[in-house]
Amino acid sequence: MKRLLLPLLLGLVTIVADQLTKAWALSALGDGRTVNIIGDFLSLHLTFNSGAAFSLGNSSTWVITLIAAIVSVGLPFLIARSARVPAIMLGFIWGGAIGNLIDRLFREPGFPRGHVVDMINYNGWFIGNVADIALVVAVIALVAYEFFSRDEAVEAGAQ
């Protein structure tokens, strides 16, 4: 149980930060305005995404919701069995998945087809949110960890 505490706490912090920033975006950017942070390269603009990352699967919102629900329920079990470092990364993935799942379950147009609130515009390439940041950074970190830890394990076995 102690192994779950830090990853799940980080996941909960991610969920709260995600939902608070979405609430802020709805109130501050709901009039359609854009707030430039670093010129056009990084700005804030409210959008609603019915699909997955990069707006893929716009017509399959309920499928994405089902997958997110399975991941959200299953990840704590994986976290409990994982080594400390991957468990922390999995905690951020869990938090990001739940942050966006909340939108899919409770936002318009309704359960389970809700659209995810996005507001961070990356130079027009894509628009995301705090949950997306947690997901992407944690997945990249997990892949890097697995890549480099496997090399170390192979080198240790060769000696």
Side-chain angles (χ1 to χ4, degrees):
M1 188 64 165
K2 190 176 179 182
R3 166 181 264 162
L4 282 171
L5 187 60
L6 181 59
L8 294 183
L9 180 62
L10 293 172
L12 289 173
V13 167
T14 301
I15 295 165
V16 169
D18 178 63
Q19 292 301 306
L20 287 175
T21 55
K22 288 174 179 176
W24 172 85
L26 288 166
S27 67
L29 304 172
D31 59 1
R33 70 184 175 113
T34 298
V35 176
N36 290 329
I37 298 172
I38 303 174
D40 290 334
F41 185 75
L42 184 66
S43 61
L44 300 174
H45 182 79
L46 182 64
T47 62
F48 299 91
N49 183 359
S50 63
F54 308 108
S55 296
L56 298 173
N58 284 333
S59 61
S60 303
T61 303
W62 70 271
V63 174
I64 295 165
T65 302
L66 179 63
I67 293 167
I70 292 168
V71 168
S72 297
V73 170
L75 265 178
F77 296 102
L78 185 58
I79 290 168
R81 300 181 66 176
S82 182
R84 181 120 179 111
V85 173
I88 290 170
M89 294 171 213
L90 292 173
F92 283 115
I93 293 169
W94 178 73
I98 289 183
N100 285 336
L101 179 61
I102 289 169
D103 288 9
R104 296 195 183 286
L105 295 176
F106 300 109
R107 295 210 187 271
E108 294 295 326
F111 183 91
R113 298 170 290 115
H115 296 178
V116 174
V117 175
D118 287 334
M119 80 292 292
I120 306 168
N121 185 346
Y122 299 91
N123 200 34
W125 298 325
F126 58 92
I127 301 177
N129 57 45
V130 171
D132 297 335
I133 293 169
L135 285 164
V136 169
V137 170
V139 167
I140 290 170
L142 188 61
V143 168
Y145 175 83
E146 288 298 319
F147 179 76
F148 290 113
S149 68
R150 290 187 192 280
D151 288 347
E152 290 173 6
V154 170
E155 288 175 17
Q159 293 176 358

